Amino acid sequence: MFVKGLQSPRDLTIDFAPSPKQYELWKLLQPNCCPHCGGEIELKLTSYDMKGMPVHSPECKVCHSRHLPQIILGGGAGGGGKSYVGSCWIIINCLRFPDARAVVARKTLKALKGSTFNTIKLVLRTWGLEQDVHYKINNLEGVVTFYNGSTISLIELEDLPSDPEFERLGSNEWGFGFVDECSQVSEKAVEVLFSRLRWNTAETFVYPRLLLTTNPCMNWVRSRFVQDEEGNPAKLAPHDAYVPFTVFDNPNKQFVATYRASLDKISDATTRN
């Protein structure tokens, strides 16, 4: 499937050299790939629900692990390279799978277009992809369309009194998603969005993946992924995973040096940390 007016790139240069921490996050996100051994994934019948309907769970064909997280948090210090990993992951899978549907979200579209979307466009340019040649952007609808029919939808997840159940997401179907600065949105928003990840899942990822990223926070993200109120490590659900970041996990050493120098000028210890 090719989009009229667009063409596939001939000289695509994917420049992505992750740090060890970025690679740890990257492995958890790969389609049809066990993060433990690299084996392929299959859905195994595990039980039946109260209505007698079959319940399936993803399992590695090689090591038989069922610890295959689906909602993955990259959390920690600003400048650690979390959003960059998310942007690369979204783009690579849109290029890999024709007619893929990705979704990228923040609390508001204004914040999304002023930050995360700029990173996505930077990655596209860096890899040699040209706007209106290999992809096009519909700013009115908030959709990026690639030459192979794959799309990235930009959406906002702000809680609205007029739509407490997020019915505005309606019957949308996406295959995989990325919520940047997830601490600014509600847990319900994340759960509803995750329930919409079902487009061509069996043919691509096998089981859906939703990436969350955020800086340190004191809300539902902390208690669900990091630690409880007593300071004990959070007991993660089988489908959750947490990868902690610091600024030193950014592979751009020049950026780290410059950013660290700026942080050292902050007098308030809490803000600096």
Side-chain angles (χ1 to χ4, degrees):
M1 176 181 179
F2 285 87
V3 176
K4 184 177 181 181
L6 298 178
Q7 61 187 39
S8 60
R10 294 184 178 181
D11 299 311
L12 184 63
T13 302
I14 297 180
D15 182 15
F16 179 58
S19 68
K21 189 64 68 172
Q22 286 178 321
Y23 185 57
E24 181 182 345
L25 181 62
W26 185 259
K27 288 194 299 180
L28 291 168
L29 297 168
Q30 295 315 294
N32 192 18
C33 182
C34 174
H36 311 294
C37 73
E40 292 187 352
I41 307 299
E42 62 182 343
L43 292 178
K44 295 291 290 285
L45 177 65
T46 55
S47 63
Y48 293 88
D49 64 18
M50 296 179 64
K51 296 183 179 180
M53 302 300 293
V55 176
H56 294 81
S57 297
E59 179 180 301
C60 176
K61 293 181 180 180
V62 179
C63 69
H64 304 291
S65 174
R66 289 184 181 172
H67 181 57
L68 303 171
Q70 297 175 268
I71 301 179
I72 300 129
L73 172 68
K82 307 180 296 295
S83 298
Y84 182 75
V85 171
S87 298
C88 291
W89 175 65
I90 288 290
I91 294 169
I92 279 180
N93 286 292
C94 282
L95 298 177
R96 177 178 180 178
F97 299 114
D99 196 31
R101 294 182 186 178
V103 58
V104 179
R106 278 195 67 163
K107 180 178 180 179
T108 66
L109 279 175
K110 181 179 180 180
L112 177 56
K113 291 182 177 181
S115 57
T116 319
F117 190 41
N118 285 333
T119 303
I120 290 174
K121 290 187 288 186
L122 173 63
V123 173
L124 289 168
R125 292 194 301 270
T126 302
W127 290 356
L129 292 158
E130 298 181 41
Q131 186 174 344
D132 297 324
V133 177
H134 307 120
Y135 67 93
K136 60 184 178 180
I137 299 175
N138 186 324
N139 286 302
L140 184 62
E141 295 184 1
V143 176
V144 180
T145 302
F146 291 89
Y147 64 91
N148 62 358
S150 294
T151 60
I152 302 173
S153 297
L154 309 177
I155 69 168
E156 61 182 19
L157 291 177
E158 185 172 16
D159 282 39
L160 300 175
S162 60
D163 184 25
E165 301 300 320
F166 292 90
E167 293 181 1
R168 61 186 181 274
L169 297 183
S171 58
N172 283 299
E173 290 184 293
W174 296 289
F176 50 103
F178 171 27
V179 182
D180 203 6
E181 296 301 338
C182 63
S183 60
Q184 297 176 2
V185 304
S186 65
E187 186 173 17
K188 186 179 184 69
V190 168
E191 296 282 4
V192 173
L193 178 61
F194 180 70
S195 73
R196 300 298 186 268
L197 302 183
R198 56 199 182 197
W199 176 259
N200 284 351
T201 303
E203 296 79 13
T204 56
F205 277 73
V206 180
Y207 62 101
R209 236 65 58 82
L210 179 62
L211 171 63
L212 312 177
T213 60
T214 188
N215 293 333
C217 58
M218 294 293 288
N219 61 5
W220 69 270
V221 179
R222 182 183 179 89
S223 59
R224 175 168 173 169
F225 291 94
V226 184
Q227 63 183 38
D228 59 24
E229 295 180 356
E230 285 73 40
N232 302 309
K235 295 181 179 180
L236 296 176
H239 58 273
D240 288 349
Y242 169 50
V243 180
F245 277 75
T246 73
V247 66
F248 301 105
D249 292 313
N250 191 317
N252 187 333
K253 300 307 178 185
Q254 184 176 1
F255 169 83
V256 172
T258 302
Y259 188 48
R260 171 64 188 273
S262 298
L263 293 178
D264 287 342
K265 305 297 189 298
I266 299 174
S267 58
D268 180 71
T270 300
T271 303
R272 182 173 62 252
N273 290 336

